[in-house]
């Protein structure tokens, strides 16, 4: 069997870092870990070609060569995903699809013509698919209610990647999350019992990347790295001697729940292992909204104090914030801005709440007859942070949209962004004597510095003085965070461009620019459909 594995393109989004990638001479932030794990599950005698369309496009010769096309996608990749299915069908190729998007909405893939749907987790459903192929079946949907033991997962095919095209490499240690946030689809996809790999298994993956020549930043892509704290500590205690023995070839970033700040031992272990950053789902500083959405782990201790403790443990904070929770009080956007300024979080991912398929939020809103088909109110597909909600909220959509655009516009005003980046880097308690920050190869690092000096040190008069003052202070006071600071500065080029795109997208959906006009005839009030409850 000749299988062409394709990963669809991402549209420009908050996390695409388009301008950053161009400045740094890279193509994509992260490799597609899921589909290269699927590649490891396929028979050894199959011929495989792999193409990440975010790095390079496949050729017509690839299409002619293959017998089978295998695709994996997230919801945000929907347009390219369907275009690829339809092209395969036109060429008479069999198509197998999987990943979070087809698993959540299987009918979409069937409507485009996919032959085989390999849903849920591949360790259990890829073997079902292979058995069906052996039996000569022309189509099939393969599912499993059970969750696989990830300690039996194969090592991903890192060798298939064009590794120098990515900002980071990626591995996975665990799946699942113990919490029950109403809006989150992770527990729907992977369950509430975190399943982990064995420490030796994960270190073998790190060794494989090391042997392939990778040096630099590495994302542990778990949706909640600390979901199983006992096993995480076991892993970290074996990881620390490995990174020391190999002279810290990688620096790590991951995602975790805010209760990370409650465990001093875990913070210390992550520090010693070389974790330089963590993404936190803060969502909102409003305690009543956190209660409504069942994000109770964020209500146990003051959030500002939690951020301070994580910075003191040597980690930069990335964080997600959401507008549009039921019962949300006016001014939520301003309160998020104030929180971000207090904590100096450089890159707050501000988004508007979406009801994702099969989540507890989706099911509740469906019962309350508040869902609006599968699209946002402005007609834009669900899946990006600047899409209006796909349900009727409890306050005016115009008010939510205004707070979103004003918040994003202000937070990513260049001088505000650079100031927070600077303050966050100074607040991080980096270990002396070794690197604790993101790493770049020498060639790409020199290019990045040259581009930054040109764009921010010379060509932007509004921030030119600030850029040089802050850079000099970092060099003198905290040179160990220089790479981190330069990386944040470079990312600013993406966000300064992206904030205009976010504003434009909301303007198109509303029919007016929330920063310039007040609605007079387009007021979409929550009273159009009265909610039966607020959660």
């Amino acid at each position: 069997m000749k299988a062409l594995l394709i990963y669809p393109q991402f549209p420009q989004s908050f996390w695409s870092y388009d301008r950053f990638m161009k400045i740094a001479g890279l193509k994509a932030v992260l490799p597609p870990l899921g589909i290269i794990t699927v590649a490891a599950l396929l028979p050894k005698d199959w011929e495989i070609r792999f193409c990440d369309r975010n790095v390079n496009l496949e050729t017509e010769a690839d299409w002619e060569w293959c017998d089978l096309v295998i695709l994996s996608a997230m919801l945000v990749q929907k347009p390219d995903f369907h275009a690829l299915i339809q092209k395969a069908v036109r060429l008479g190729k069999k198509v197998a699809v999987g990943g979070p998007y087809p698993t959540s909405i299987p009918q979409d893939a069937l409507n485009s013509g996919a032959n085989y749907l390999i849903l849920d987790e591949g360790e259990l459903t890829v073997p079902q698919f292979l058995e069906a192929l052996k039996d000569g079946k022309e189509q099939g949907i393969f599912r499993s209610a059970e969750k696989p033991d990830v300690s039996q997962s194969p090592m991903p095919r890192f060798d298939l990647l064009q590794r120098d095209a990515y900002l980071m490499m990626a591995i996975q240690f665990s799946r699942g999350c113990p919490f029950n946030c109403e809006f989150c689809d992770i527990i729907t996809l992977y369950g509430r019992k975190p399943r982990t790999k064995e420490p030796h298994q994960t270190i073998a993956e790190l060794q494989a990347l090391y042997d392939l020549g990778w040096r630099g930043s590495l994302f542990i892509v778990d949706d909640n790295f600390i979901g199983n704290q006992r096993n995480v500590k076991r892993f970290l205690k074996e990881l620390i001697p490995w990174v020391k023995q190999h002279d810290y070839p990688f620096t790590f970033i991951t995602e975790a729940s805010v209760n990370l700040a409650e465990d001093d031992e875990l913070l210390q272990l992550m520090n010693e292992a070389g974790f330089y950053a963590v993404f936190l789902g803060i969502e909102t500083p409003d305690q009543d909204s956190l209660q409504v959405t069942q994000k109770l782990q964020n209500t146990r201790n003051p959030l500002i104090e939690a951020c301070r403790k994580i910075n003191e443990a040597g980690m930069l904070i990335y964080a997600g914030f959401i507008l549009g929770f039921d019962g949300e009080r006016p001014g939520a956007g301003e309160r998020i801005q104030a929180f971000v300024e207090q904590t100096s979080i450089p890159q707050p991912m501000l988004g508007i709440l979406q009801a994702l398929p099969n989540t507890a939020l989706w099911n509740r809103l469906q019962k309350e007859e508040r869902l609006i088909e599968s699209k946002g109110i402005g007609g834009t597909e669900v899946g990006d942070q600047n899409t209006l909600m796909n349900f009727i909220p409890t306050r005016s959509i115009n008010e939510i949209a205004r707070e979103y655009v004003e918040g994003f516009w202000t937070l990513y005003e260049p001088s505000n962004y650079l100031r927070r980046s600077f303050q966050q880097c100074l607040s991080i308690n980096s270990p002396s004597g070794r690197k604790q920050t993101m790493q770049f190869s020498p060639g790409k690092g020199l290019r990045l510095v040259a581009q930054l000096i040109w764009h921010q040190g010379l060509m932007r008069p509004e921030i030119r003085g600030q850029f040089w003052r802050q850079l000099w202070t970092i060099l003198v006071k905290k040179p160990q965070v220089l790479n981190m600071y330069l990386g944040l500065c470079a990312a600013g080029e993406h966000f300064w461009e992206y904030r205009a795109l976010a504003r434009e997208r909301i303007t198109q959906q509303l029919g007016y620019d929330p920063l310039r006009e007040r609605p007079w005839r387009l007021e979409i009030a929550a009273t159009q459909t009265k909610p039966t409850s607020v959660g």
Side-chain angles (χ1 to χ4, degrees):
M1 181 71 72
K2 296 176 180 178
L4 177 60
L5 279 60
I6 307 179
Y7 195 57
Q9 287 180 324
F10 284 96
Q12 189 173 6
S13 70
F14 183 94
W15 292 119
S16 61
Y17 287 92
D18 301 81
R19 286 280 297 154
F20 179 102
M21 294 296 104
K22 186 175 181 181
I23 286 173
L26 300 166
K27 294 292 186 71
V29 178
L30 285 168
L33 192 60
I35 198 166
I36 63 171
T37 303
V38 168
L41 291 164
L42 298 176
K44 303 297 183 190
D45 60 349
W46 280 26
E47 296 181 56
I48 292 174
R49 292 185 186 178
F50 167 71
C51 176
D52 178 356
R53 286 171 57 83
N54 301 284
V55 172
N56 285 311
L57 300 180
E58 77 285 357
T59 66
E60 291 305 313
D62 291 329
W63 285 98
E64 292 174 11
W65 167 85
C66 69
D67 306 308
L68 173 71
V69 177
I70 299 177
L71 308 172
S72 176
M74 293 186 280
L75 184 58
V76 72
Q77 295 167 288
K78 180 175 181 175
D80 199 40
F81 174 72
H82 287 290
L84 290 166
I85 295 175
Q86 290 157 12
K87 178 171 183 175
V89 170
R90 287 196 306 271
L91 294 174
K93 308 293 182 179
K94 291 292 184 183
V95 189
V97 302
Y101 171 35
T103 295
S104 296
I105 315 174
Q107 193 59 46
D108 282 9
L110 290 173
N111 291 345
S112 277
N115 305 96
Y116 307 100
L117 273 60
I118 311 169
L119 308 180
D120 304 308
E121 296 181 56
E123 289 89 349
L124 296 178
T125 53
V126 169
Q128 296 176 28
F129 160 67
L130 296 174
E131 194 62 33
L133 279 185
K134 274 187 190 177
D135 293 342
K137 293 182 179 176
E138 296 291 314
Q139 57 189 20
I141 299 176
F142 311 100
R143 306 213 69 151
S144 176
E146 297 179 18
K147 303 297 182 188
D149 176 358
V150 294
S151 69
Q152 303 302 309
S153 297
M155 185 181 294
R157 289 284 307 275
F158 298 118
D159 59 295
L160 295 174
L161 301 172
Q162 185 181 324
R163 291 174 297 281
D164 62 356
Y166 296 96
L167 175 64
M168 307 177 196
M169 281 293 104
I171 63 168
Q172 183 181 63
F173 175 67
S174 70
R175 294 182 202 159
C177 179
F179 298 113
N180 200 28
C181 307
E182 187 186 40
F183 58 86
C184 183
D185 63 346
I186 297 306
I187 53 178
T188 303
L189 292 167
Y190 303 117
R192 289 190 60 195
K193 182 180 179 181
R195 293 160 286 133
T196 69
K197 294 179 178 178
E198 288 297 316
H200 69 83
Q201 177 186 9
T202 309
I203 288 172
E205 294 183 13
L206 297 177
Q207 186 68 50
L209 284 167
Y210 181 90
D211 293 342
L212 286 167
W214 179 258
R215 302 291 184 274
S217 294
L218 195 147
F219 201 119
I220 300 181
V221 301
D222 306 14
D223 295 291
N224 188 356
F225 178 62
I226 66 166
N228 185 325
Q229 293 189 12
R230 182 182 71 87
N231 284 1
V232 164
K233 289 176 183 178
R234 286 178 56 228
F235 165 54
L236 292 172
K237 287 172 183 176
E238 294 195 26
L239 175 62
I240 290 166
W242 186 90
V243 294
K244 287 180 178 177
Q245 180 185 353
H246 291 77
D247 193 25
Y248 295 93
F250 311 133
T251 52
F252 300 98
I253 176 174
T254 193
E255 301 180 44
S257 43
V258 176
N259 59 303
L260 168 64
E262 300 170 18
D263 193 321
D264 291 339
E265 181 190 13
L266 185 50
L267 286 170
Q268 179 61 29
L269 289 170
M270 291 176 71
N271 179 296
E272 289 183 41
F275 280 75
Y276 75 87
V278 62
F279 179 91
L280 304 174
I282 292 175
E283 320 311 356
T284 175
D286 291 351
Q287 296 291 299
D288 48 357
S289 290
L290 291 170
Q291 294 280 351
V292 164
T293 197
Q294 297 295 304
K295 197 154 186 116
L296 304 181
Q297 68 271 25
N298 283 25
T299 66
R300 297 202 295 250
N301 293 292
L303 290 169
I304 290 174
E305 177 64 15
C307 292
R308 184 191 63 78
K309 281 196 71 174
I310 291 168
N311 283 159
E312 286 182 351
M315 284 181 278
L316 166 72
I317 294 173
Y318 297 89
F321 297 89
I322 298 175
L323 287 168
F325 291 115
D326 275 3
E328 185 175 74
R329 293 176 288 115
E334 286 84 353
R335 291 189 293 278
I336 288 171
Q337 287 185 60
F339 182 91
V340 169
E341 290 302 323
Q342 283 180 285
T343 53
S344 298
I345 294 171
Q347 295 177 15
M349 185 186 76
L350 182 61
I352 297 176
L353 183 62
Q354 300 283 325
L356 297 176
N358 307 315
T359 58
L361 176 63
W362 173 280
N363 293 333
R364 174 168 68 81
L365 294 173
Q366 196 169 48
K367 287 178 185 175
E368 295 171 3
E369 298 183 351
R370 293 168 60 193
L371 286 177
I372 304 176
E373 297 180 348
S374 64
K375 296 188 178 184
I377 284 176
T380 302
E381 294 289 352
V382 173
D384 197 8
Q385 293 86 15
N386 41 62
T387 297
L388 293 178
M389 36 265 283
N390 58 340
F391 65 93
I392 301 294
T394 58
R395 66 173 175 138
S396 163
I397 287 176
N398 289 301
E399 188 177 78
I400 294 168
R402 178 185 58 78
E403 290 184 13
Y404 167 75
V405 174
E406 284 182 351
F408 208 94
W409 195 257
T410 303
L411 289 168
Y412 287 98
E413 188 277 325
S415 63
N416 289 342
Y417 173 80
L418 285 184
R419 185 187 68 255
R420 289 197 311 275
S421 298
F422 174 68
Q423 290 171 343
Q424 177 91 168
C425 286
L426 290 182
S427 70
I428 291 168
N429 183 24
S430 296
S432 59
R434 68 172 171 83
K435 293 180 179 178
Q436 175 72 2
T437 65
M438 60 184 74
Q439 296 179 25
F440 302 97
S441 65
K444 288 184 169 59
L446 290 172
R447 174 191 172 117
L448 182 72
V449 172
Q451 290 284 319
L452 275 177
I453 290 172
W454 174 252
H455 287 288
Q456 295 176 23
L458 297 173
M459 297 304 293
R460 289 184 180 271
E462 71 277 15
I463 59 169
R464 186 164 53 210
Q466 180 184 10
F467 171 80
W468 287 112
R469 285 192 304 273
Q470 292 184 179
L471 179 60
W472 177 251
T473 304
I474 291 288
L475 284 167
V476 171
K477 289 189 174 182
K478 217 163 194 180
Q480 65 267 38
V481 299
L482 178 62
N483 280 1
M484 178 186 290
Y485 179 69
L486 292 174
L488 290 171
C489 289
E493 295 291 327
H494 163 69
F495 289 113
W496 303 334
E497 181 180 273
Y498 182 69
R499 71 173 184 153
L501 177 61
R503 178 178 174 180
E504 179 186 333
R505 287 174 175 172
I506 294 296
T507 296
Q508 289 174 350
Q509 293 169 69
L510 286 176
Y512 69 94
D513 184 344
L515 293 188
R516 292 175 183 251
E517 307 170 41
R518 297 295 180 190
W520 58 275
R521 58 183 172 81
L522 293 167
E523 185 69 20
I524 308 172
T527 51
Q528 287 178 328
T529 300
K530 291 184 179 179
T532 58
S533 77
V534 291

